[in-house]
Amino acid sequence: FRRALELLEEHLEITRQENGDKHPEYATALHNTAYLYAQLKRPEKALEYETRALMIWEAKLGRNHEDTINARQ
């Protein structure tokens, strides 16, 4: 999992640089990284990333968008 986390963090930074930190693609990268942190039994980090993703999705896509709804569950 360590290598997967390194790759996700790298992807996260590239996505942020290319799209900005308020873009839905960045939110998706945050969400994917949060999932791995949850699998690694690091709930505090998973929650941090998932919360950031949710905030972006709500701001950019709205509260009723599928991605936003899925992130709240």
Side-chain angles (χ1 to χ4, degrees), residues 14-47:
I14 291 168
T15 303
R16 186 190 65 75
Q17 288 176 3
E18 289 181 355
N19 300 303
D21 62 0
K22 306 244 185 300
H23 194 279
E25 287 294 324
Y26 181 66
T28 299
L30 285 166
H31 171 75
N32 292 338
T33 307
Y35 177 80
L36 184 57
Y37 275 120
Q39 297 304 305
L40 293 171
K41 308 289 191 249
R42 295 183 59 190
E44 70 291 336
K45 202 72 166 161
L47 181 60

Side-chain angles (χ1 to χ4, degrees), residues 8 10 18-19 23 27 31 38 48 52 55 60-61 65 67 69 71-72:
L8 278 172
E10 184 178 318
E18 289 181 355
N19 300 303
H23 194 279
H31 171 75
E48 173 191 337
R52 288 169 54 198
M55 290 172 48
K60 295 296 181 177
L61 304 176
H65 189 276
D67 290 341
I69 293 168
R72 284 197 304 259

